[in-house]
Amino acid sequence: MPRPRRCAGAISIRPWRGCRGGLVLTGSPRPPQLLLDRATAAQRTRLERCGGGLDGLLVVPHEIMAVAAAITRQARDGLDPILVLGASAIMDRRDVIPAALETAGGEIVRLGMPVESGKTS
């Protein structure tokens, strides 16, 4: 029986080397420092558990252009993933964070989860 041929470069498996993540926090003009510190610590822990690190942090106003500029800057700096935590819950695609993501050149593949708010089971 003939041996299967190898296709050079068709599949490449490399060891996981972690990630360099970025975090964009949005808020009121002067968000409480304790709130910013807690949000940053939680996301740093999540990235570290995956073998990565939080290499960029930007705190910007909860405005489409400010958030889009922060996402663009972190992408240009090579950060991936870029996490965005907002001052308010996202209700639809017209909200600040989804609109900022699209303004920065991103694409929303799926928005929201099919759950009933406040329902426990």
Side-chain angles (χ1 to χ4, degrees), residues 13-93:
I13 299 174
R14 297 183 182 148
W16 172 250
R17 302 234 188 267
C19 61
R20 295 181 53 236
L23 176 60
V24 177
L25 298 175
T26 77
S28 60
R30 298 185 75 198
Q33 190 61 44
L34 179 61
L35 183 64
L36 297 176
D37 292 344
R38 285 183 178 173
T40 302
Q43 300 314 310
R44 178 175 282 116
T45 298
R46 286 186 172 127
L47 289 169
E48 287 172 353
R49 285 181 180 161
C50 296
L54 180 60
D55 288 357
L57 170 64
L58 295 172
V59 180
V60 299
H62 193 72
E63 299 167 0
I64 293 170
M65 295 311 293
V67 176
I71 292 169
T72 300
R73 178 176 167 192
Q74 290 193 339
R76 193 173 32 240
D77 290 345
L79 301 179
D80 183 18
I82 299 170
L83 310 172
V84 183
L85 298 179
S88 63
I90 297 171
M91 300 301 287
D92 59 45
R93 291 175 183 266

